Amino acid sequence: MGGSPLRILVVGAGIAGLAVARALRMAGFRPDVTERLPPGENAEAGLYLPGNAARALRRLDLDGPVRPLGQVIHRQRFLDATGAPLCEVDLDALWAGVGECRALPREELHRVLFTGAGGAVRHGAEMRTIDLLPHSVGVTFVDGTATEYDLVIGADGPRSSTRALAALGGPPRPAGQIVYRAVVRDAPPVAEWTALLGQRAGFLVVPIGAGWLHCYADEAGTVAPADPRARLRELFGHYGGPVPAVLEALDRVHVATTEEVELGRWSRGRVLLVGDAAHATAPTLSQGAAMALEDAVVLAESLRAAGGDVEAALSAYESRRRPRTRWVRDRTRDRNRTRDVPPALRDPLLRGRGGRIFGEHYRLLLGPL
């Protein structure tokens, strides 16, 4: 397909930005991609991709490069704090006809997306101002350079500078959890996605291939501790299952607080927000990357279908994406509320109906984009 004359800037070279750049290139556009951070500044982390993420990767023609990476996850196992079974979700059955679930190092997915986006990213480029013009957007960078674009796409995360500069919303709000992430190399063998649920806290381990585990833990709160390793041992030292061996093998732990972004609109003039910049939620349903990949597919389709009418494309894009991102936000809040239910009440319910309850959280996402 011949190149489109539309001048497009994608701000952010994470999963959302690179996926958008890939989708736009497939649709015949040639976007510029900028990233304020220097190359190589990605924290070591694992990533779990549900079946709808696999479907979006197919639409981006990137399922082939991803297929050898990480490990396919067939089942989610929920245990109580002692390690006794609560319920299971058969992921192959849940996502049948949509896509397989996969866990892998985040950097490996980033590498595939970077290559798929064409590999041309202007690093160290930070915007200073955005000027909303009648039919374009003027962008000035901190180094003094200035360019005019037909469309600016903010894919720069929950603390998006694009969102602030375009007056689309303020900072994200706390979602109420402190999260801990680590990649564990010398850990006990764990075959499937395995979560242990305690009182207002949980501990998750997921195999990501090569004998490595992605470790994710959370607790209710809004202030991250100074010593996350010590806090993990304090919180989860009495847990059963694989947790004691994982705690023993932990080295570097990344800690953060969860954030939500909920906006009345995602675009203003010819500036649009995608991914976490538009609709970040707590990572409870593991839908952050999946929603970003879906955003990319739908945005490219909307721009191509609009035949150069950017405003019509942005309106069509938002009308298609709002129901799915709202579903993810609401189901995330539903699942997070189970943390506040005492285990003596919650655990018998999960043993009886937990698999159906947790599977239902993805029902809308099984449908087409």
Side-chain angles (χ1 to χ4, degrees):
M1 180 176 179
S4 166
L6 281 180
R7 301 161 299 171
I8 302 177
L9 173 65
V10 178
V11 182
I15 290 174
L18 294 177
V20 166
R22 167 67 175 183
L24 292 176
R25 288 176 66 86
M26 291 179 68
F29 302 98
R30 293 294 177 263
D32 294 338
V33 183
T34 61
E35 169 58 56
R36 66 179 182 83
L37 297 175
E41 292 206 1
N42 288 307
E44 185 178 64
L47 185 65
Y48 168 67
L49 298 175
N52 59 317
R55 173 173 53 193
L57 286 167
R58 284 200 308 275
R59 300 276 286 273
L60 296 171
D61 198 22
L62 294 176
D63 53 320
V66 169
R67 196 173 299 120
L69 306 176
Q71 179 172 326
V72 176
I73 305 298
H74 301 282
R75 190 170 301 276
Q76 288 181 329
R77 302 173 62 237
F78 293 87
L79 315 176
D80 67 16
T82 71
L86 291 174
C87 61
E88 292 189 350
V89 177
D90 182 340
L91 297 173
D92 294 338
L94 176 65
W95 295 102
V98 179
E100 61 190 9
C101 300
R102 181 177 302 275
L104 72 167
R106 176 180 287 269
E107 179 57 29
E108 292 188 354
L109 177 62
H110 189 273
R111 189 180 307 115
V112 168
L113 290 169
F114 180 80
T115 302
V121 175
R122 180 185 168 195
H123 285 276
E126 185 173 357
M127 292 188 301
R128 176 181 291 160
T129 63
I130 287 177
D131 187 13
L132 300 176
L133 304 173
H135 301 291
S136 63
V137 183
V139 178
T140 302
F141 294 92
V142 294
D143 65 1
T145 59
T147 312
E148 195 170 311
Y149 290 96
D150 298 302
L151 173 62
V152 172
I153 302 167
D156 45 350
R159 301 190 178 193
S160 168
S161 61
T162 309
R163 187 174 66 238
L165 291 173
L168 277 163
R173 63 188 182 200
Q177 294 102 40
I178 304 166
V179 298
Y180 306 82
R181 294 182 175 92
V183 172
V184 181
R185 292 175 171 82
D186 300 317
V190 176
E192 298 287 0
W193 187 105
T194 303
L196 289 88
L197 307 181
Q199 176 68 56
R200 307 194 75 197
F203 198 100
L204 168 68
V205 288
V206 187
I208 58 174
W212 294 6
L213 292 179
H214 168 55
C215 172
Y216 170 92
D218 61 26
E219 63 171 317
T222 56
V223 181
D227 187 342
R229 286 182 65 194
R231 179 57 178 162
L232 281 177
R233 293 176 185 275
E234 177 187 355
L235 274 173
F236 302 106
H238 65 286
Y239 275 43
V243 174
V246 171
L247 290 176
E248 187 64 28
L250 280 178
D251 181 15
R252 182 180 304 173
V253 178
H254 303 278
V255 63
T257 55
T258 55
E259 296 175 325
E260 276 190 352
V261 174
E262 185 177 357
L263 303 175
R265 58 181 179 175
W266 294 346
S267 65
R268 183 166 180 249
R270 291 188 170 211
V271 177
L272 171 72
L273 303 176
V274 300
D276 282 349
H279 46 70
T281 66
T284 311
L285 297 186
S286 301
Q287 279 292 319
M291 288 294 101
L293 295 169
E294 289 189 359
D295 282 355
V297 171
V298 174
L299 176 57
E301 290 180 352
S302 300
L303 283 168
R304 184 168 51 189
D309 187 338
V310 174
E311 288 80 4
L314 300 190
S315 177
Y317 164 79
E318 187 164 341
S319 68
R320 284 180 63 183
R321 294 301 296 151
R322 279 273 185 186
R324 292 173 79 85
T325 61
R326 185 183 302 117
W327 174 276
V328 169
R329 181 197 68 208
D330 292 345
R331 300 296 79 73
T332 295
R333 291 174 178 173
D334 288 345
R335 189 174 291 193
N336 284 342
R337 278 192 285 269
T338 66
R339 302 169 190 275
D340 299 325
V341 179
L345 298 176
R346 178 196 64 204
D347 292 356
L349 173 64
L350 295 183
R351 287 191 174 97
R353 296 194 290 124
R356 293 192 299 277
I357 292 171
F358 289 142
E360 172 65 15
H361 289 160
Y362 298 97
R363 175 171 54 81
L364 183 71
L365 307 181
L366 303 176
L369 300 185

